[in-house]
Amino acid sequence: MNFNFGEILTRAGQITWKHKILWISGIIIGLIGLLPASISMIFMEPFSSFAVSDPAQMNQNLVPILLVNGLTLFLSILSIPVYVIGMTIPSLGTIRSEKGIGKISFGELVRDSLPYFWRILGILALVWIGMFVFMMVFMACIGAFSVVTLGFGALCAFPFLLLFIPIAILVYSLMEQGMSAVVVDDLGVFDALQRAWDLVKKNLGGMALLSIVIYFGSVIVGMVISVPMMIPMFGFISKMSAGPDLQAFDGMFRSMTWWMLAFSPLYVLFQGLLLTFTQSTWTLAYMRLTHKPEVNDDPRPESGAPLIPEDSDKTIIARPNA
């Protein structure tokens, strides 16, 4: 089956714009990401307050830091299940839209995403942990080689760092197609990764192009949205040109935090739209490569059955009744 790049992006855009209810998952993820900044504004002491010589005062200032770090750690743990479910909901919504279901309920999507939770989490964990281990081993080898060659090895190893770009593209495609295989065909973790690997190998150019467009497109739009948040930074740079000033740094930090919170509605809206479009694109890519479109009025699969049957490529001709 052909990989129609333009059709997939166009259809993903249509689904994203039509079913705005799917944006909620990305909005919730964005809000959780902004909570640490809000907590810092409430509990953190100014940076200049740490430039004191009184040990008792310094110990007192450490309490807000420990409180903020504890709350941030809690939010980080809480964000894991929210992120997993949030990644699944747009994929389910895309599948149901492709099956001709007009109205999509967010509550139903949340409930129906739960059976896929551990498998999606397993794929994310395997990919992230695998990449982390690979990076650590690679950096350890560079470090050991640099010690032996008195630093010259680090310069020689620099070109190899460029290899991380195609590796990251490949891993990103593999992860997204693996999650799509779980949701679309109800596969297990290793079966889904195997299916994803087969698809990426057979459609390497299309998958790489899709990854690049989605990633760099998101970065460019994100940078444009972030420009207003950087306005306090410009004032801080002009003040710091006269010399270091902790109070100026404290003022810049608080100004940037307030500006970020002021623009948070725009940020979380962009997060919701982007997550929906991204997951819809990858889900459509998987469906186009493995299935033909099928319309079905029943949005829920039977237990253990794929959302789109494996034999959907076959044409069924109904015989008239005798």
Side-chain angles (χ1 to χ4, degrees):
M1 194 175 298
N2 294 329
F3 188 93
N4 193 327
F5 184 80
E7 187 272 336
I8 289 175
L9 292 177
T10 302
R11 180 59 181 155
Q14 293 172 349
I15 293 174
T16 301
W17 188 252
K18 179 179 180 181
H19 301 288
K20 298 180 180 64
I21 194 72
L22 300 176
W23 299 10
I24 296 177
S25 56
I27 289 173
I28 293 174
I29 293 174
L31 288 174
I32 291 180
L34 288 172
L35 280 177
S38 304
I39 294 172
S40 297
M41 285 296 301
I42 296 173
F43 295 104
M44 283 288 286
E45 293 289 334
F47 290 103
S48 57
S49 65
F50 292 95
V52 295
S53 57
D54 186 4
Q57 183 66 28
M58 292 181 66
N59 291 334
Q60 185 178 358
N61 292 337
L62 289 176
V63 174
I65 294 181
L66 296 177
L67 180 60
V68 170
N69 289 338
L71 289 174
T72 302
L73 178 61
F74 171 76
L75 290 173
S76 299
I77 297 174
L78 177 64
S79 66
I80 295 175
V82 174
Y83 181 78
V84 172
I85 295 175
M87 294 282 284
T88 308
I89 286 174
S91 296
L92 284 174
T94 298
I95 295 169
R96 297 183 181 185
S97 179
E98 286 295 279
K99 295 173 70 176
I101 300 172
K103 186 177 181 180
I104 298 177
S105 169
F106 186 79
E108 285 188 3
L109 291 176
V110 173
R111 183 176 64 251
D112 294 342
S113 67
L114 297 179
Y116 307 104
F117 176 82
W118 292 109
R119 284 173 285 172
I120 297 295
L121 180 61
I123 289 177
L124 291 173
L126 284 175
V127 172
W128 288 344
I129 293 174
M131 283 297 294
F132 176 78
V133 172
F134 176 78
M135 285 289 296
M136 291 299 101
V137 171
F138 182 79
M139 296 305 295
C141 293
I142 291 180
F145 188 55
S146 299
V147 171
V148 173
T149 59
L150 301 178
F152 183 73
L155 298 176
C156 296
F158 178 77
F160 291 98
L161 295 176
L162 299 177
L163 293 176
F164 282 110
I165 297 177
I167 291 175
I169 292 174
L170 176 64
V171 171
Y172 178 51
S173 304
L174 182 67
M175 181 184 71
E176 290 290 349
Q177 289 298 278
M179 290 190 294
S180 298
V182 168
V183 179
V184 176
D185 286 332
D186 201 24
L187 298 180
V189 173
F190 296 104
D191 289 337
L193 288 174
Q194 181 61 51
R195 176 74 63 83
W197 175 246
D198 293 338
L199 290 176
V200 171
K201 284 194 304 181
K202 294 178 181 178
N203 306 274
L204 187 58
M207 292 293 179
L209 183 59
L210 201 59
S211 298
I212 293 171
V213 168
I214 291 176
Y215 178 76
F216 285 103
S218 303
V219 169
I220 292 172
V221 177
M223 289 175 62
V224 172
I225 293 178
S226 300
V227 167
M229 300 183 188
M230 302 302 295
I231 293 177
M233 178 68 75
F234 301 141
F236 170 74
I237 293 174
S238 62
K239 290 182 180 179
M240 290 299 290
S241 60
D245 187 352
L246 278 177
Q247 291 184 347
F249 182 78
D250 179 65
M252 182 275 298
F253 173 77
R254 290 186 171 273
S255 297
M256 288 198 66
T257 304
W258 281 117
W259 272 82
M260 184 177 66
L261 294 178
F263 281 93
S264 59
L266 179 62
Y267 169 78
V268 297
L269 186 64
F270 167 71
Q271 181 78 10
L273 187 152
L274 178 63
L275 182 67
T276 302
F277 178 77
T278 299
Q279 296 310 113
S280 178
T281 300
W282 285 113
T283 304
L284 288 171
Y286 178 86
M287 293 171 67
R288 296 295 187 266
L289 292 171
T290 57
H291 301 281
K292 284 184 178 179
E294 176 181 319
V295 177
N296 192 332
D297 294 330
D298 184 9
R300 294 185 188 137
E302 298 180 359
S303 178
L307 286 171
I308 299 180
E310 289 288 339
D311 60 348
S312 57
D313 287 343
K314 298 179 181 179
T315 303
I316 302 175
I317 302 177
R319 295 181 179 180
N321 295 328

